Amino acid sequence: MEWFYSITNFLIGACVASHAALICDRFDQANFWSPHSYCQICYTELGLLDEIPLISYLFLHGKCRYCHNPIPVKLPIIEAFGGFSFISLDLSQSNDLLTCIILFSILLAAICDFEVQEFHLVMILPAIFLAFIRLTSLSHYQLLDYLEFLPISLLLITFVWQHKLGSGDLIIYLVLVFFFSPHFANLVFLTGSVCLILYFCFQRKKYSTQKAVAFIPYLFLGLILQLPFN
């Protein structure tokens, strides 16, 4: 039955990710609170069969049912990443339900960071709140925890101060430290950094040193890859 729960979690994560993409698309628009989804090109209201994560995209061959314009390929990619992020969770456990909130908040930040290289702080306020609640865990830190936490924190603060890194990266690092552990947060940042380096290696001819790099999407990827081992 484990495979059944994995598939169920994947579908739940894909739905959550689809909603996150919708929030990011509408965040600064007047119709943010509109309950209806619609095509971004022809503005036709979408039906239920048009909104099934991944399945609708495949069934419609990546095109709007009404105007036949291409659906942005970023949508199924976001849904897939959201699905994979939920696979290892046990949604019957309260701690994993809180982890879902962390994932959703960081996914919101990752989508916006990828598109405009910034995000609104309100998007990760739930994650900050949960991390703040767990600040009491600092009293249980051992020396090794501080040795893993303090140097990286000081390094990130220095990069933010020198405008070499966005403050959002530092905030997300602190969220991961306080909600999970310093060791886990460092592994997430290490994995995300490796993924970014691999991207540069494959895109070295197209990459410009003058172009800002969205790092939070790679942090989210690092979080997906490390979460099953946490």
Side-chain angles (χ1 to χ4, degrees), residues 12 26 28 34 36 43-44 48 50 101 125 162 179 192 229:
I12 293 173
R26 292 189 181 182
D28 291 322
S34 174
H36 303 294
Y43 299 101
T44 302
L48 179 62
D50 303 318
I101 298 176
L125 278 181
Q162 296 176 348
F179 186 83
F229 304 102

Side-chain angles (χ1 to χ4, degrees), residues 39 41-42 62-72:
C39 173
I41 299 176
C42 67
K63 295 182 180 180
C64 172
R65 182 194 301 273
Y66 308 100
C67 66
H68 305 294
N69 280 296
I71 299 172

Side-chain angles (χ1 to χ4, degrees), residues 91-122:
L91 300 183
S92 65
Q93 301 295 321
S94 59
N95 187 67
D96 281 8
L97 289 176
L98 296 179
T99 301
C100 291
I101 298 176
I102 298 291
L103 287 169
F104 181 73
S105 298
I106 297 178
L107 179 58
L108 283 175
I111 295 171
C112 289
D113 189 45
F114 178 78
E115 294 183 342
V116 295
Q117 284 74 58
E118 64 178 11
F119 66 90
H120 295 271
L121 184 62
V122 68

Side-chain angles (χ1 to χ4, degrees), residues 29-220:
Q29 298 180 12
N31 63 346
F32 178 78
W33 299 107
S34 174
H36 303 294
S37 297
Y38 54 84
C39 173
Q40 296 288 335
I41 299 176
C42 67
Y43 299 101
T44 302
E45 184 178 322
L46 302 179
L48 179 62
L49 295 179
D50 303 318
E51 301 182 85
I52 304 174
L54 293 172
I55 296 175
S56 291
Y57 184 87
L58 295 174
F59 180 76
L60 296 171
H61 304 289
K63 295 182 180 180
C64 172
R65 182 194 301 273
Y66 308 100
C67 66
H68 305 294
N69 280 296
I71 299 172
V73 71
K74 71 174 184 179
L75 184 57
I77 293 176
I78 291 171
E79 292 170 349
F81 276 108
F84 283 116
S85 70
F86 272 51
I87 283 182
S88 63
L89 300 180
D90 182 354
L91 300 183
S92 65
Q93 301 295 321
S94 59
N95 187 67
D96 281 8
L97 289 176
L98 296 179
T99 301
C100 291
I101 298 176
I102 298 291
L103 287 169
F104 181 73
S105 298
I106 297 178
L107 179 58
L108 283 175
I111 295 171
C112 289
D113 189 45
F114 178 78
E115 294 183 342
V116 295
Q117 284 74 58
E118 64 178 11
F119 66 90
H120 295 271
L121 184 62
V122 68
M123 292 181 173
I124 60 170
L125 278 181
I128 294 174
F129 176 74
L130 292 178
F132 180 77
I133 291 177
R134 295 201 175 183
L135 275 175
T136 54
S137 64
L138 287 175
S139 60
H140 303 293
Y141 277 10
Q142 298 179 353
L143 178 60
L144 181 60
D145 294 314
Y146 286 105
L147 290 177
E148 289 188 288
F149 166 56
L150 292 177
I152 302 299
S153 297
L154 292 175
L155 180 64
L156 293 178
I157 291 172
T158 302
F159 282 164
V160 171
W161 181 266
Q162 296 176 348
H163 303 288
K164 295 180 179 179
L165 192 71
S167 58
D169 304 292
L170 173 61
I171 293 173
I172 290 176
Y173 175 74
L174 295 177
V175 165
L176 296 176
V177 165
F178 298 139
F179 186 83
F180 295 103
S181 70
H183 182 68
F184 179 76
N186 290 348
L187 285 176
V188 169
F189 262 67
L190 176 61
T191 306
S193 299
V194 170
C195 292
L196 180 58
I197 291 172
L198 291 175
Y199 171 79
F200 283 158
C201 291
F202 286 110
Q203 299 289 328
R204 58 184 181 274
K205 294 182 179 179
K206 300 179 182 179
Y207 174 69
S208 171
T209 56
Q210 303 300 318
K211 184 179 179 180
V213 178
F215 185 45
I216 297 179
Y218 296 94
L219 288 183
F220 186 76

